[in-house]
Amino acid sequence: MTGEYPTPPTAPPSWSYTPQHLTSTIESTISTTRALIDSIVALPKDERTFETVFRPLALREGEAARESEPALFLQYVSTEKEVRDASVEGDKQMQDFGLDTDSRIDLYTALLDAKEHTTSHNISLNAEEQRLMARMIRDRERNGLGLPEDKRTELLEVKKKINSLAIDFQRACNEEKGFLDLTQEELEGVPKSVMEGYEKTEKGYKVTYKTPDIIPVFKYANLPSTRKRAVLGYEGKTIQNVPVLAEIVRLRRQVAALLGWDTYAGYVLDVKMAKKPERVFEDLETKLKPLGEAEKKKLLELKKSVHLERGWPVEEELWLWDYRYYDRLFVERELNLDEEALKSYFSVSKVVPTILDIYRTLLGVKFFKVPRDEKHGGQTWHEDAEMYAVWDSKGEDETGEFLGYMHLDLFPRENKYGHAAVWGLIPGWTAEDGTRNYPVVNMVANLAKATPTTPALMKHDSVVTFFHEFGHAFHGLCSKTQFARFHGTSVARDFVEAPSQMLEHWCWTKDQLKQMSSHYETGEPLSDELIANIIKSKNVNQGLFNLRQLFHGKYDMLVHTSKKDQDMTKLWVDLREKTSLVSTSGDAGGYEAGYYGYLYSQAFSADMFKTVFKDDPMSPKNGAHYRKEILQPGGSREEMDSLVAFLGREPNNVAFLEDLMGSSESATPPKL
């Protein structure tokens, strides 16, 4: 991040979009792509080859992403409503066009002809080219091109409805503006440093549903009535999306039926690592339940003591709005870890460059902030967003190959995407003349801003999330595939989290915690005692935490295996009580019977860390091995092949269960 700025071989994307420019960009992308497809289907059968059909289509996929994706990304971050609206509409146009393209029987026929030519003429293809040919045909067959014309037309219309509803669902989430107006008395227990960041009202304080505002209320508000109001308000912040989700699920059932699948989950999992729905949660709940029950008992004992101290009636229920509060209090009392005091050691100004430095050392890369001027193109969509050029490192004073651009947009604002996520915005690929097209990744987060008395500070769990998301960013930057469609995180959905989950372990190791911590007033790093207690806290109440993850996965799977309409809210509440052990009186477009992947991939991530990195987390040699076998291939080969190449054997769940149960005695061979 220091030294003279080296000029990259390609300019960064421009972010100066007007609504009109955005619309014309999408129209041009669609027009150019359609013209290419029309020229391919016009070829006589004997001229349809890999070089005239598959390769041009694959190259166009990358070019279309480079042209359109920056414009489509603005719906998540732009401060201008007109630009966001144009971006949303452009997204719908692109998705509809994609469905139209994948449904063209003339293009499907051209692909089959080109495949036949390749086979009959014994054309030599490398492994990635063979995979490209197979995937292009498979994707269209999964899109119904083997159906009669009337069924294909019906399927296309249903899928367009789903896409449109999913985009509207996400827009409602992005533009949600709900808040609570709470008095100082109602906020008793919430740290002063948090309250300094709240906007004052006539009654007291405006607490938005953005995570830096609302999470401290869940964790610190002493009054159960305040926590209940906050949790239920947060859960209902986009209540208008409930019927939208129900309609999406109904339409997905229709898709499955048209394609001849028993359930939509079966259709989705057919191309994932976990092929059968019934294998997804096999035996995990049995292992987690006793652990969760024991943890719940301890939290209820703590709750009882608190209620007695306050003179409140004793309750035998662990309510939804109790979990985060008593989980935090349990850690404070058992391990002497004050989460609020701990964040004084994690200022954004320290954590961000340190995490970049850890990745720099581990993966052998360098970062240079792109100057914000016309010459270098460093202007972004907002003053908070920064752009970096990322290079391979040849040593302290030399740079190697250019890898790509990375954007960081880290602080909350109105109408911005409300969580932490990374967009693999523009993929990398190799052009026909051998030149390289470089990737662009964008990381969006909502870290707490500075207050009048403190700099911007991060809780340790936010540091973990931040490190995780950087893992996705580097999956995009360090991938090097021949074709754009296989680049970076374009892997099976139930594997995509594994690399980033593995990298979370660096936030629980002594040397790295020491490196990334510095008290904002004294400059002192975390003490050895504090670090030891942080590491001990890693698996505290993990039974309950993983049961919560299991609940989300089961809910997602149940709604996508059901063959009839359900009261989705009632199912949510009932299943949560049954699975996650808390009592009570989302995300529509992305998971699609895939949320299980967060738990499924933890077996991979734990195995990867323990096998390769545990003894020496900062080994450049092991980092290079990780780049070569996990990051570089992206989706260009089977994910299991990448894991075997990295581990030297097939993966297992022993490390995951050891972490969870604290003993290898309960670990059994996996069913992965």
Side-chain angles (χ1 to χ4, degrees):
M1 294 172 66
T2 58
E4 184 178 347
Y5 181 75
T7 303
T10 187
S14 169
W15 296 103
S16 57
Y17 282 92
T18 64
Q20 296 75 23
H21 176 210
L22 195 154
T23 300
S24 66
T25 296
I26 300 305
E27 289 174 349
S28 174
T29 299
I30 291 173
S31 175
T32 304
T33 306
R34 182 181 286 118
L36 172 68
I37 293 169
D38 288 344
S39 69
I40 287 172
V41 301
L43 290 170
K45 181 176 180 178
D46 60 358
E47 294 181 19
R48 293 174 175 177
T49 68
F50 184 90
E51 295 300 329
T52 62
V53 177
F54 285 100
R55 193 180 301 279
L57 286 172
L59 294 175
R60 182 59 198 156
E61 286 178 345
E63 292 160 358
R66 183 178 58 201
E67 293 162 7
S68 64
E69 287 300 328
L72 302 183
F73 172 73
L74 288 172
Q75 65 187 285
Y76 301 103
V77 295
S78 176
T79 57
E80 299 177 44
K81 184 178 187 306
E82 294 79 8
V83 170
R84 293 197 308 275
D85 288 347
S87 181
V88 167
E89 291 308 310
D91 200 357
K92 290 180 179 179
Q93 283 182 268
M94 286 295 294
Q95 293 207 31
D96 283 352
F97 176 68
L99 285 173
D100 287 335
T101 298
D102 288 346
S103 301
R104 286 186 62 163
I105 194 72
D106 54 354
L107 182 57
Y108 177 58
T109 302
L111 290 167
L112 292 177
D113 288 342
K115 179 185 178 183
E116 181 186 353
H117 175 274
T118 302
T119 303
S120 62
H121 287 73
N122 294 317
I123 304 297
S124 177
L125 302 178
N126 65 36
E128 190 170 339
E129 290 166 344
Q130 292 174 36
R131 189 173 179 83
L132 174 76
M133 186 165 64
R135 288 299 173 89
M136 279 191 167
I137 291 172
R138 185 197 73 178
D139 290 351
R140 283 161 175 83
E141 289 173 345
R142 283 177 55 79
N143 212 36
L145 286 182
L147 297 174
E149 185 176 356
D150 60 332
K151 296 296 184 184
R152 291 200 308 271
T153 302
E154 183 182 355
L155 179 65
L156 178 61
E157 292 307 310
V158 172
K159 285 198 165 190
K160 285 184 176 180
K161 288 178 184 176
I162 292 172
N163 282 349
S164 180
L165 287 168
I167 291 169
D168 288 341
F169 185 106
Q170 186 59 56
R171 174 160 54 178
C173 294
N174 294 343
E175 299 187 356
E176 177 276 319
K177 295 183 176 65
F179 65 92
L180 300 172
D181 193 357
L182 298 172
T183 65
Q184 186 162 344
E185 292 73 25
E186 288 173 313
L187 288 168
E188 176 200 333
V190 176
K192 179 183 176 183
S193 60
V194 173
M195 293 180 64
E196 286 176 343
Y198 292 154
E199 180 183 328
K200 290 189 176 181
T201 67
E202 186 176 332
K203 176 182 176 183
Y205 298 90
K206 178 181 179 180
V207 181
T208 73
Y209 292 128
K210 298 291 186 183
T211 50
D213 277 10
I214 199 68
I215 297 298
V217 179
F218 299 164
K219 289 187 169 186
Y220 289 96
N222 288 328
L223 298 179
S225 58
T226 300
R227 298 198 306 272
K228 179 178 180 180
R229 186 177 166 195
V231 168
L232 296 185
Y234 180 79
E235 291 221 329
K237 64 181 180 176
T238 51
I239 195 71
Q240 72 272 27
N241 273 339
V242 172
V244 179
L245 179 57
E247 178 64 7
I248 288 172
V249 170
R250 187 189 68 78
L251 291 170
R252 286 173 178 167
R253 283 203 307 272
Q254 197 173 335
V255 167
L258 284 166
L259 291 171
W261 286 89
D262 193 41
T263 67
Y264 189 77
Y267 164 69
V268 170
L269 268 69
D270 183 55
V271 292
K272 303 294 174 66
M273 294 185 75
K275 301 296 183 186
K276 301 294 181 183
E278 59 268 21
R279 295 183 63 185
V280 170
F281 304 115
E282 191 172 352
D283 150 82
L284 185 56
E285 188 170 3
T286 304
K287 293 181 182 296
L288 289 173
K289 267 289 174 64
L291 188 62
E293 292 280 7
E295 293 167 355
K296 178 181 178 180
K297 184 178 179 181
K298 290 180 181 178
L299 294 186
L300 281 172
E301 289 170 356
L302 178 58
K303 179 180 178 179
K304 179 180 179 180
S305 70
V306 169
H307 276 235
L308 290 173
E309 290 168 11
R310 301 287 300 236
W312 295 338
V314 173
E315 297 179 342
E316 298 300 326
E317 295 283 353
L318 184 69
W319 298 104
L320 179 62
W321 45 91
D322 289 334
Y323 169 67
R324 287 185 187 237
Y325 179 80
Y326 287 106
D327 179 58
R328 186 267 309 169
L329 195 59
F330 183 86
V331 170
E332 280 187 14
R333 295 190 179 185
E334 290 293 312
L335 296 175
N336 194 28
L337 273 182
D338 183 338
E339 191 178 86
E340 192 61 24
L342 204 59
K343 76 178 188 181
S344 298
Y345 289 90
F346 296 115
S347 64
V348 172
S349 61
K350 172 68 174 178
V351 170
V352 174
T354 302
I355 288 179
L356 288 174
D357 196 50
I358 290 172
Y359 275 102
R360 177 188 64 80
T361 303
L362 182 66
L363 299 180
V365 295
K366 286 189 172 183
F367 310 92
F368 298 86
K369 192 175 289 187
V370 182
R372 284 181 176 268
D373 55 39
E374 190 171 338
K375 176 184 176 182
H376 297 94
Q379 303 97 330
T380 61
W381 55 86
H382 191 272
E383 60 185 11
D384 284 349
E386 296 180 329
M387 185 191 303
Y388 293 85
V390 185
W391 297 73
D392 252 327
S393 174
K394 280 189 174 179
E396 285 300 316
D397 302 319
E398 288 187 72
T399 57
E401 181 184 356
F402 179 66
L403 296 177
Y405 290 101
M406 175 174 67
H407 297 78
L408 303 181
D409 186 354
L410 303 182
F411 298 103
R413 57 181 180 270
E414 277 198 352
N415 301 310
K416 178 186 168 186
Y417 182 79
H419 303 283
V422 168
W423 278 257
L425 200 69
I426 299 175
W429 75 94
T430 301
E432 201 162 6
D433 62 2
T435 58
R436 190 72 187 155
N437 289 267
Y438 299 97
V440 176
V441 298
N442 290 6
M443 179 175 173
V444 173
N446 286 272
L447 306 179
K449 287 188 172 183
T451 74
T453 59
T454 63
L457 301 173
M458 301 171 68
K459 292 184 178 178
H460 180 255
D461 60 0
S462 296
V463 176
V464 176
T465 299
F466 202 60
F467 214 99
H468 174 107
E469 295 301 334
F470 262 114
H472 291 309
F474 283 97
H475 203 164
L477 289 165
C478 294
S479 178
K480 191 172 183 181
T481 58
Q482 184 177 352
F483 300 114
R485 71 157 43 207
F486 298 129
H487 184 85
T489 55
S490 298
V491 296
R493 188 64 187 261
D494 47 4
F495 179 72
V496 71
E497 295 298 329
S500 287
Q501 287 171 336
M502 183 198 73
L503 290 159
E504 291 178 17
H505 286 81
W506 274 253
C507 300
W508 303 96
T509 55
K510 179 180 177 179
D511 290 346
Q512 282 63 57
L513 281 168
K514 187 79 76 173
Q515 183 182 353
M516 68 178 71
S517 62
S518 175
H519 196 285
Y520 76 92
E521 290 180 317
T522 67
E524 290 295 314
L526 287 164
S527 67
D528 289 349
E529 181 182 2
L530 273 175
I531 288 175
N533 285 338
I534 289 172
I535 293 171
K536 287 178 186 176
S537 75
K538 180 176 185 288
N539 291 318
V540 170
N541 297 327
Q542 280 299 293
L544 286 172
F545 173 80
N546 281 295
L547 283 170
R548 178 177 175 272
Q549 294 294 88
L550 186 65
F551 150 65
H552 284 121
K554 286 177 67 176
Y555 178 81
D556 182 30
M557 196 64 68
L558 277 172
V559 299
H560 289 105
T561 52
S562 173
K563 298 178 183 179
K564 60 183 180 179
D565 292 339
Q566 301 181 77
D567 182 334
M568 299 184 72
T569 301
K570 184 177 186 303
L571 176 64
W572 175 271
V573 172
D574 291 347
L575 187 64
R576 173 156 55 193
E577 290 200 18
K578 180 181 177 182
T579 305
S580 62
L581 306 181
V582 297
S583 304
T584 54
S585 61
D587 201 344
Y591 292 111
E592 301 183 75
Y595 196 95
Y596 74 90
Y598 279 96
L599 270 177
Y600 185 79
S601 59
Q602 280 187 27
F604 302 138
S605 63
D607 196 8
M608 290 160 68
F609 178 75
K610 181 181 178 182
T611 302
V612 178
F613 285 110
K614 187 175 182 179
D615 292 337
D616 188 1
M618 295 307 298
S619 163
K621 178 182 177 182
N622 290 341
H625 180 55
Y626 171 68
R627 275 188 66 173
K628 178 185 176 185
E629 302 298 354
I630 299 294
L631 302 185
Q632 185 173 311
S636 66
R637 65 184 181 189
E638 290 297 312
E639 291 78 11
M640 188 59 71
D641 292 343
S642 293
L643 282 167
V644 170
F646 182 65
L647 295 168
R649 56 166 171 76
E650 289 198 357
N652 62 55
N653 65 4
V654 172
F656 171 60
L657 292 175
E658 283 180 354
D659 279 351
L660 198 60
M661 308 298 181
S663 169
S664 62
E665 293 177 359
S666 58
T668 57
K671 294 183 178 180
L672 296 173

